[in-house]
């Protein structure tokens, strides 16, 4: 029952993301959706009673800017005119951002607050997620599923993508278990950079100045966030004790 909560919230998040993208320009969606990174950091502080240093907060917002620049694409005019509702789009993306931060931190809290195996927790969450999303599938495409079958259109490439996504989800759980959701956001940003570089090698994608600058910001932010936090109080408290020991000798 505990893990049915993040499953439901993730389902809401995904649908809100589609709704937002349908009512906003791609560039606007891309910029605003990156607010999920500081939202996750805020949820971590509020729900897990953790503290982030000023440098870590700076690295979090630097990561947002870097991801935006890496994914930035100039707007292209198309012959298709789509009626959009920006107010609805911003509302949907606000809900998606809040859901992303809450669900990730909630799942981390459940993982770290009990001795239950990580794999058992994954099974529990994904089973409830299957139930929630299966209801949505039949509500939206029930007639086509009855006519053509549930696995209509599944090719070997589709199964490969499903397998890779599943493995990625399991590794994400490992990252959350042994680090935190903020680090998961940093690893996702690094994955965006690597996938773009792979697109350059495989599909001839052109490297732009914004991509290079965004990559630099992502790398610097990851380095800054991983720096050890200095505890100067313990050093200051230890100095008088050491002087006393010296005077005693």
């Amino acid at each position: 029952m505990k893990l049915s909560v993040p499953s439901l919230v993730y389902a809401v998040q995904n649908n809100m993301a589609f709704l937002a993208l349908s009512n906003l320009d791609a560039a606007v969606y891309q910029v605003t959706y990156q607010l999920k990174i500081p939202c996750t950091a805020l949820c971590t502080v509020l729900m897990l009673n953790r503290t982030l240093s000023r440098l870590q907060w700076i690295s979090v917002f630097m990561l947002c800017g870097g991801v935006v620049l890496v994914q930035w694409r100039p707007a292209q005019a198309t012959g298709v005119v789509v009626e959009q509702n920006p107010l609805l789009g911003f509302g949907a993306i606000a809900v998606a951002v809040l859901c992303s931060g809450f669900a990730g931190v909630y799942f981390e809290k459940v993982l770290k607050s009990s001795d239950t195996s990580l794999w058992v927790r994954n099974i529990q969450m994904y089973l409830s997620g299957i139930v929630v999303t299966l209801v949505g599938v039949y509500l939206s495409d029930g007639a086509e599923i009855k006519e053509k079958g549930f696995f209509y259109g599944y090719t070997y490439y589709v199964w490969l993508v499903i397998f890779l996504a599943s493995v990625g989800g399991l590794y994400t759980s490992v990252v959350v278990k042994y680090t935190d959701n903020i680090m998961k956001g940093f690893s996702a940003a690094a994955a965006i950079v690597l996938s773009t570089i792979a697109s350059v090698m495989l599909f001839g994608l052109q490297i732009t100045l914004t991509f290079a600058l965004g990559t630099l910001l992502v790398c610097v932010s990851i380095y800054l966030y991983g720096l050890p936090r200095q505890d100067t109080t313990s050093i200051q408290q230890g100095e008088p004790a050491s002087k006393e020991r010296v005077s005693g000798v």
Side-chain angles (χ1 to χ4, degrees):
M1 292 300 296
K2 286 182 179 180
L3 289 171
S4 64
V5 175
S7 295
L8 178 61
V9 175
Y10 276 131
V12 173
Q13 173 198 339
N14 291 332
N15 284 279
M16 288 298 102
F18 283 121
L19 182 62
L21 190 56
S22 301
N23 289 278
L24 295 173
D25 292 335
V28 176
Y29 167 84
Q30 172 183 297
V31 171
T32 52
Y33 195 51
Q34 302 312 319
L35 291 174
K36 65 182 181 179
I37 299 174
C39 182
T40 300
L42 183 61
C43 288
T44 299
V45 171
L46 295 177
M47 296 173 61
L48 301 180
N49 296 321
R50 291 181 185 164
T51 58
L52 297 180
S53 66
R54 183 180 301 177
L55 187 61
Q56 286 178 319
W57 278 112
I58 292 174
S59 66
V60 166
F61 285 99
M62 186 183 295
L63 178 68
C64 288
V67 173
V68 168
L69 291 176
V70 166
Q71 295 183 308
W72 184 266
R73 297 288 183 275
Q76 296 179 352
T78 62
V80 181
V81 179
V82 180
E83 184 177 353
Q84 295 180 329
N85 186 342
L87 185 60
L88 178 61
F90 282 118
I93 207 164
V95 174
V97 165
L98 292 174
C99 287
S100 176
F102 172 79
V105 176
Y106 180 93
F107 183 51
E108 179 183 350
K109 187 174 183 178
V110 172
L111 281 180
K112 295 180 177 179
S113 61
S114 68
D115 296 329
T116 306
S117 168
L118 172 65
W119 309 109
V120 172
R121 288 302 192 193
N122 272 314
I123 292 172
Q124 291 171 345
M125 188 175 76
Y126 290 131
L127 283 177
S128 56
I130 288 172
V131 173
V132 171
T133 52
L134 197 60
V135 172
V137 166
Y138 274 95
L139 287 177
S140 61
D141 300 313
E144 292 187 8
I145 292 175
K146 290 179 180 179
E147 179 184 354
K148 300 178 181 179
F150 187 87
F151 294 103
Y152 176 78
Y154 278 59
T155 63
Y156 291 111
Y157 293 110
V158 175
W159 284 112
L160 178 61
V161 170
I162 292 173
F163 172 76
L164 293 175
S166 302
V167 173
L170 294 175
Y171 275 110
T172 298
S173 300
V174 174
V175 172
V176 171
K177 173 72 173 179
Y178 296 105
T179 56
D180 55 32
N181 272 277
I182 304 176
M183 187 57 68
K184 184 189 76 172
F186 279 85
S187 62
I192 293 173
V193 174
L194 291 176
S195 62
T196 306
I197 294 175
S199 298
V200 173
M201 300 173 62
L202 296 175
F203 308 114
L205 182 68
Q206 297 295 322
I207 293 291
T208 62
L209 180 61
T210 55
F211 172 80
L213 181 59
T215 302
L216 178 63
L217 285 177
V218 169
C219 294
V220 172
S221 66
I222 293 174
Y223 172 75
L224 292 179
Y225 186 82
L227 286 177
R229 299 171 63 176
Q230 295 181 353
D231 187 3
T232 56
T233 57
S234 60
I235 298 175
Q236 293 172 355
Q237 293 173 355
E239 288 178 354
S242 60
K243 291 179 180 178
E244 290 178 1
R245 286 195 297 269
V246 172
S247 61
V249 173

